[in-house]
Amino acid sequence: MKDKYWAKNKYSTVDPLDYETARFRTHAGKLIDETEKRAVLDLLLNSGVDYKKEPKILDVATGPGRLAFYLKDNLQEAKITGVDINENMLRRAREVARGKKLNINFIKGDIYHLPFQEKQFDAVTGLRFSMHLPDIDSLIRELARVLKKDGILIFDIFNLDSILKLRSSGKNHSRQFSGWYNISDLIDISFQNGLEFVQKKGLFLCGETSLRKFPENLLFMLSAFVRPPLFLQNFSTKIVLCFRKI
């Protein structure tokens, strides 16, 4: 079993510009980036949160702030806080916020022990953290703790039941952390921590690695693989989940 802070050690020295360039500056990277962020925004807008009444949104594992900036651009009345354990990433996020004159508070914090009191936020969002954090039970409990009643939690997972069936099979994933999750397991864990499942969105039938290697001039052909139709969403490589605190 990987230590629950292994990702902190892996990414603590990563240069934020290198991180952004490698993942999101190519044509495929931009497509992945926009698709992920749009899925979070759509789920948030459909969740019942009144974004016109200055909702307080916490973006966890915010990194250089790509989701936090996107939410602020689209929900201008929202009060957004980004938290991350990597000071290098936060420094980059603060520089961008100053350059854009955006009022987003970026602070350093441990996602397992968030520096906030209970029931502080109307929504908690995050992308690309569940696959790096093995102690998912403690993680969901902590995210639920800082949510107000009826608050919304949205995050993505790599789907164990995807078409690709990568890295794990059967129930072995519960004994050996692989970064891939069974949706029903996460719904059960979330319910045990006072969160009811609301909705999900499936993304990337083909897998991100394949998508990044696909010829750029042919990416337009992959719309059904990047945003799969409803009947295929349960088999998507990545699932974005939405929960409400009860």
Side-chain angles (χ1 to χ4, degrees), residues 144-161:
R145 181 185 69 81
V146 301
L147 272 175
K148 298 177 183 178
K149 186 179 184 301
D150 295 323
I152 298 298
L153 171 62
I154 300 174
F155 65 96
D156 64 327
I157 62 167
F158 283 141
N159 178 23
L160 186 67
D161 297 319

Side-chain angles (χ1 to χ4, degrees), residues 26-241:
T26 65
H27 288 284
K30 290 177 182 177
L31 178 60
I32 291 169
D33 181 46
E34 174 65 25
T35 301
E36 289 180 341
K37 294 187 297 190
R38 185 71 219 183
V40 173
L41 179 63
D42 287 347
L43 289 171
L44 189 58
L45 292 176
N46 291 329
S47 68
V49 171
D50 190 345
Y51 61 91
K52 295 181 180 179
K53 292 187 177 180
E54 298 186 343
K56 294 176 66 177
I57 300 175
L58 176 65
D59 184 44
V60 296
T62 194
R66 69 186 184 99
L67 179 57
F69 290 125
Y70 184 83
L71 293 177
K72 188 63 176 178
D73 287 342
N74 288 276
L75 305 173
Q76 296 181 8
E77 300 302 318
K79 295 181 178 179
I80 297 177
T81 300
V83 64
D84 201 280
I85 204 166
N86 186 335
E87 186 61 43
N88 290 335
M89 294 287 186
L90 292 170
R91 191 176 299 113
R92 167 66 176 166
R94 293 177 190 129
E95 290 173 357
V96 174
R98 282 194 296 270
K100 292 184 174 183
K101 295 182 171 56
L102 291 176
N103 185 21
I104 301 177
N105 188 23
F106 289 104
I107 64 175
K108 187 173 183 178
D110 178 352
I111 195 172
Y112 289 112
H113 306 282
L114 292 168
F116 308 106
Q117 295 181 356
E118 294 182 4
K119 304 175 183 177
Q120 292 293 300
F121 296 96
D122 300 290
V124 175
T125 64
L127 286 171
R128 295 175 176 262
F129 65 79
S130 68
M131 58 285 297
H132 297 310
L133 304 175
D135 191 358
I136 196 70
D137 300 64
S138 297
L139 179 60
I140 291 177
R141 187 180 309 117
E142 180 65 357
L143 299 181
R145 181 185 69 81
V146 301
L147 272 175
K148 298 177 183 178
K149 186 179 184 301
D150 295 323
I152 298 298
L153 171 62
I154 300 174
F155 65 96
D156 64 327
I157 62 167
F158 283 141
N159 178 23
L160 186 67
D161 297 319
S162 71
I163 290 175
L164 299 182
K165 296 282 185 181
L166 293 176
R167 300 190 184 184
S168 298
S169 61
K171 287 292 181 180
N172 289 333
H173 71 286
S174 63
R175 296 189 291 271
Q176 177 91 24
F177 177 69
S178 64
W180 293 69
Y181 292 96
N182 180 285
I183 298 171
S184 60
D185 288 347
L186 281 184
I187 290 176
D188 289 343
I189 292 170
S190 298
F191 184 75
Q192 292 165 17
N193 287 284
L195 297 165
E196 65 176 357
F197 173 68
V198 177
Q199 193 179 358
K200 65 180 181 293
K201 271 186 179 290
L203 312 175
F204 312 136
L205 284 180
C206 54
E208 288 185 34
T209 301
S210 301
L211 186 59
R212 292 181 192 278
K213 293 180 178 180
F214 205 77
E216 293 180 355
N217 61 334
L218 298 178
L219 282 173
F220 70 93
M221 299 173 57
L222 295 182
S223 60
F225 290 89
V226 175
R227 301 178 184 88
L230 188 61
F231 73 95
L232 287 176
Q233 290 201 9
N234 284 340
F235 304 104
S236 300
T237 303
K238 179 168 284 189
I239 302 283
V240 186
L241 300 166

